[in-house]
Amino acid sequence: MSTSFEKMMSDYANEYSKICRKNNQIDAGLFDEYGVKRGLRDKNGKGVLSGITNISLIKSSETKDGRTVPCDGQLFYRGYNIFDLTSGFRKDKRFGFEETAYLLLFGELPTSDQLAEFSKILAKNRRLPTNFVRDVIMKAPSKDIMNSLTKSVLTLSSYDDKVTDNSLENVLQQSLMLISVFPMLAVYGYHAYNHYERDESFYIHRPDDNLSAAENILRMLRPNKEYTDVEAKVLDLALVLHMEHGGGNNSTFTTRVVTSAGSDTYSVIAAALSSLKGPKHGGANIKVVEMIQDLKENVKDTTDEDEVREYLRKLVRREAFDRRGLIYGMGHAVYSISDPRAVAFKQFVEMLANEKHQKKEFELYSMIERIAPEVIGEECAIYKGVSANVDFYSGFVYNMLGIPTELFTPIFAMARIVGWSAHRMEELINVDKIIRPAYQSIMVPKVYESLQERSTPKLDTNYLKELQLSMHDGNC
């Protein structure tokens, strides 16, 4: 019976998806005619200005002699260059997640006492409601840990007596709690899936209040709870570099949009998670790892630059891997000459590769990073330069750390929730107006016919002229 039902639904969907496509197709030329910027970006990739923020700044170009020219990418958190921030805690040989989270949330760097207090607050919030792991995370486990994470976040709202209280004080408390428990929700969700769906051993390790976020992630993930200092420091850097990236990225804009509707913190973060999980956003590093694996299977000598170059040409020509014409990990919507996150990350990637005896693999990544922009430039008509983005190396790092693919995007979420929380509070403090952009309708009026008389739809000429006039109204 189940098979029969599934076939019926499959046949129905296959047939009626054709009708959906026919009745929803819009002439691409109309976007230019009405001045609509698809994806809220113009033909040069510049985003439509939709807000003001004091949380971060992305710089990818500068003005010279009245012309805008690309420059080495720069990223600033609350006015501080990301290179200076990461160099600071690296110099002191300490972890940076907590310090950077404090900076993004409160707008200033903490003193030693403030950092110690903030770290204690995060540690004390690493608690889940009684039996939450058993009753929520272990029930209906999923390979899609992002969906599992979203489910857990929404369920946590049931334990909050102030779920709909959008006062700044309450939202800050909710945000700090979610930032603290995200690693637990994701890692425990993976362990539940790994046990119930893959028949592997099941274990739950409690976080240690005396450890950093990065250390606790590795501690909870690994059966023996062990990790090296280099491993934890590299993961910590990855979290810092993924923590924030302006208000225009898809998941942060989603955070702003849902916040503007007056929704609660749990719903806002669930929406942001749903946005981040897309392969065009937070799932990009998984595609890089899959692409590299396909390269190894189809290139005889991965140290031969000519062979690797030819494979990359096939990628761009839609003749290899997923045939989408993309070299994953190359290019970014904003950066052209360089992605500062990738630059800051690379030296640590090499350090970890040496520790893990993965030098040959690192050299392959480095070769691709060097020659891919040349191949793309030769094969494609592009409007700007192309460079490696942070996703190019992050998947390689997570592999070396023994982090399963299912947790790649959740690791991103563990970091980015800090940025989401900062943007949610900034939206609540400053705007208090629902985000509602306009869409141009190209609909034509039709005459309604009874079910018995229904045939080919007929235009309603009585309302056609009136409707065409209203389409140009600013409130369309």
Side-chain angles (χ1 to χ4, degrees), residues 347-364:
Q347 59 181 306
F348 281 85
V349 177
E350 185 174 12
M351 185 191 306
L352 184 63
N354 289 333
E355 180 178 285
K356 296 291 185 179
H357 307 292
Q358 294 283 334
K359 186 176 181 180
K360 184 178 179 180
E361 186 85 351
F362 176 75
E363 289 173 348
L364 173 59

Side-chain angles (χ1 to χ4, degrees), residues 52 57 73 80 98 139 159 232 239 252 281 291 294 331 358 373 414 425 428 451:
I52 298 174
L57 168 69
Y80 295 96
E98 289 75 15
K139 296 289 177 67
Y159 297 80
L239 293 172
T252 301
H281 191 4
M291 177 188 73
D294 187 76
Q358 294 283 334
M414 294 175 204
M425 289 191 292
L428 287 171
L451 186 60

Side-chain angles (χ1 to χ4, degrees), residues 54-73:
N54 192 34
I55 296 170
S56 63
L57 168 69
I58 302 166
K59 184 178 180 182
S60 60
S61 62
E62 55 191 14
T63 303
K64 289 185 177 180
D65 300 325
R67 294 187 305 112
T68 301
V69 296
C71 67
D72 287 321

Side-chain angles (χ1 to χ4, degrees), residues 13 17 90 102 119 128 220 243 245 300 383 389 428 430 435:
S17 64
R90 278 166 38 210
Y102 183 101
S119 298
L128 292 171
M220 291 188 293
M243 197 175 284
H245 206 240
K300 291 182 180 179
Y383 58 79
N389 59 50
L428 287 171
N430 294 287
I435 296 173

Side-chain angles (χ1 to χ4, degrees), residues 302-317:
T302 56
T303 65
D304 186 319
E305 187 170 315
D306 290 335
E307 283 193 53
V308 173
R309 186 183 294 271
E310 183 56 31
Y311 174 83
L312 296 179
R313 290 190 192 282
K314 289 181 179 179
L315 282 177
V316 176
R317 294 171 181 172

Side-chain angles (χ1 to χ4, degrees), residues 168-181:
L168 185 61
E169 296 79 5
N170 191 58
V171 169
L172 177 58
Q173 288 188 55
Q174 293 171 330
S175 299
L176 290 169
M177 182 273 291
L178 289 173
I179 290 169
S180 301
V181 301

Side-chain angles (χ1 to χ4, degrees), residues 321-335:
F321 188 39
D322 59 4
R323 290 174 167 75
R324 292 195 59 202
L326 301 173
I327 301 179
Y328 290 98
M330 288 292 139
H332 190 272
V334 179
Y335 303 116

